Amino acid sequence: MVAAADPEIWRAGSDGSPTKSALAGGPPVEFRFKTDDTPQTIDANNPIPIPAAGFNYSFWVHLALAYSGTFTQIDNLRWFTDGTIGWTLGTAGEVRRGNRDSGDHGCDELDYDIATGTIGTSGDDIDDGVNGHGFYEGETVATIDVEGDISGAPATIQTGPVTAVESSHAVVLQVKVDTDATQGTQSQETFTFRYDEI
Amino acid sequence: MKAIGLERALRISTETGIPIFTHFWFVKYRNGKAIAQFNPQDYHEVFWWQAVARPHLLRRKVRAEDYHKGRFRRDIERLAWLPLSRKMAKELRKREIPGISIVFETLMMKLSRGDIPYMRREVEVKSSFNLGVRLRYVRSYKVGKNVGTDYEIKESMKVLEGIELLPKA
């Protein structure tokens, strides 16, 4: 059978053992960057405030694929955007993903790090030396602007192969907001998972 | 070209998580016999590993582990991605499998004795930060032999490139 694949969010739980929430077809809306660890709950609670100085961050979000059905193998999982994020995040603001200096950029379930920060104010920077994401902080280039991940040059999340029903490795995303950002609900932006399957 | 059954295929894909596809695989052996991904009588699906793997001990049936341990049949003559006919696509949709008949190109490769077979569907799952999953489909089909070795040959056929027929929110 051709494999089924549903995007899912990892959150809460504990390090190495996340709670998984399916990202189903909309409506309702299913994914929002916030300053708490409930990206699957779409409400106006805990938005990312515009900082007076420095940067504010969303709590990071683990985004993966839940494979199901029957298949022989899945490999070469990649992820990309359309190359332009039209959100008004300020001069140095961006939507970023966790990045590894070498190898796959996706985070295995065992390397899941629960999102932390100050609720209502800012999440911890993925690259924070003390409270950052354990799988990425310390890398020479720990985060990458997702505008650089495009169809012709996608980010390799998991080379694979995957041969059983399970979750893929996750791309870890975070929003960074600069002092000159513009407030308000942001526009719809698409992203794509791409993989090989047989 | 109008894709008959596209709306139904989109609905099935949304409900099941299975990507929309347009082709099925076909394997021909040197003894003249062949296996297709779907049984033409009842559309029962055959696993890819069942078609190309070789059992470690010839007196037992082939297993998935034979494939994953790199044991392949040496008598494979051709690999092909063949387009779904309208009838076939309709029968698959009746079985909640999102097949559509939209293009009629074929991708095929001839293998020599002992070549390692390779076939893949390249799938895209398009989603949105705001609106959740919007579309799942097979973007291209790949066929090759001896992939990952100095003798690698690989070809691909792009079929659906970012189709914009998204279900309305």
Side-chain angles (χ1 to χ4, degrees), chain A residues 50-97:
Chain A
I50 300 172
F55 301 102
N56 278 342
Y57 303 89
S58 70
F59 277 45
W60 60 66
V61 177
H62 294 74
L63 183 64
L65 284 180
Y67 301 125
S68 62
T70 47
F71 51 89
T72 296
Q73 73 177 68
I74 295 170
D75 49 29
N76 200 18
L77 175 66
R78 292 146 285 166
W79 184 91
F80 58 94
T81 68
D82 63 9
T84 304
I85 302 295
W87 295 352
T88 54
L89 302 175
T91 303
E94 64 182 10
V95 179
R96 68 235 295 254
R97 63 158 173 85

Side-chain angles (χ1 to χ4, degrees), chain A residues 31-36 39 43-52 54-61 87-89 93-96 118-124 173-179 181-186:
Chain A
F31 180 179
R32 181 168 286 189
F33 292 102
K34 305 159 75 174
T35 49
D36 63 29
D43 55 31
N45 296 335
N46 300 316
I48 310 165
I50 300 172
F55 301 102
N56 278 342
Y57 303 89
S58 70
F59 277 45
W60 60 66
V61 177
W87 295 352
T88 54
L89 302 175
E94 64 182 10
V95 179
R96 68 235 295 254
T118 304
I119 293 176
T121 301
S122 178
D124 290 321
L173 302 169
Q174 184 175 55
V175 167
K176 176 183 177 184
V177 179
D178 203 346
T179 57
T182 304
Q183 69 178 18
T185 300
Q186 303 298 317

Side-chain angles (χ1 to χ4, degrees), chain B residues 8-9 14 25 35 44 54 61 67 70 100 127 133 138 154:
Chain B
R8 178 168 168 81
T14 299
W25 56 256
I35 293 179
H44 172 77
R54 170 177 54 86
K61 286 185 178 179
Y67 173 89
I100 58 172
S127 191
V133 176
V138 177
K154 203 159 66 172

Side-chain angles (χ1 to χ4, degrees), chain B residues 64-94:
Chain B
E65 68 174 279
D66 293 312
Y67 173 89
H68 297 304
K69 289 185 178 181
R71 301 180 195 126
F72 295 99
R73 293 179 65 147
R74 299 176 64 82
D75 62 341
I76 300 171
E77 183 181 283
R78 287 183 194 275
L79 305 172
W81 285 108
L82 303 179
L84 294 174
S85 66
R86 287 185 180 176
K87 180 176 186 292
M88 197 170 179
K90 186 177 180 180
E91 290 296 325
L92 290 173
R93 291 194 298 272
K94 284 182 186 177

Side-chain angles (χ1 to χ4, degrees), chain A residues 1 3-7 23 26 29 31 72-73 75 163 188-198, chain B residues 17 19 45 48-49 67-68 119-131 133-134 136 139 142:
Chain A
M1 175 66 67
D6 287 304
L23 188 70
V29 181
F31 180 179
T72 296
Q73 73 177 68
D75 49 29
T163 60
Q188 175 188 342
E189 292 290 347
T190 59
F191 60 87
T192 303
F193 280 102
R194 181 187 289 166
Y195 60 87
D196 294 336
E197 182 261 342
I198 190 66
Chain B
E45 186 167 1
W48 166 246
W49 62 263
Y67 173 89
H68 297 304
M119 296 187 88
R120 294 289 189 277
R121 287 175 284 263
E122 185 177 66
V123 178
E124 285 198 349
V125 179
K126 284 194 179 296
S127 191
S128 162
F129 291 119
N130 309 66
L131 298 175
V133 176
R134 311 313 293 157
R136 300 174 185 82
R139 174 178 184 255
K142 303 178 184 179

Side-chain angles (χ1 to χ4, degrees), chain A residues 2 40 44 55 90 92 97 130-131 134 145 150 168 172 181 185-186 188:
Chain A
V2 181
Q40 83 291 356
F55 301 102
R97 63 158 173 85
V130 177
N131 299 311
D145 186 335
I150 57 176
S168 72
V172 181
T185 300
Q186 303 298 317
Q188 175 188 342

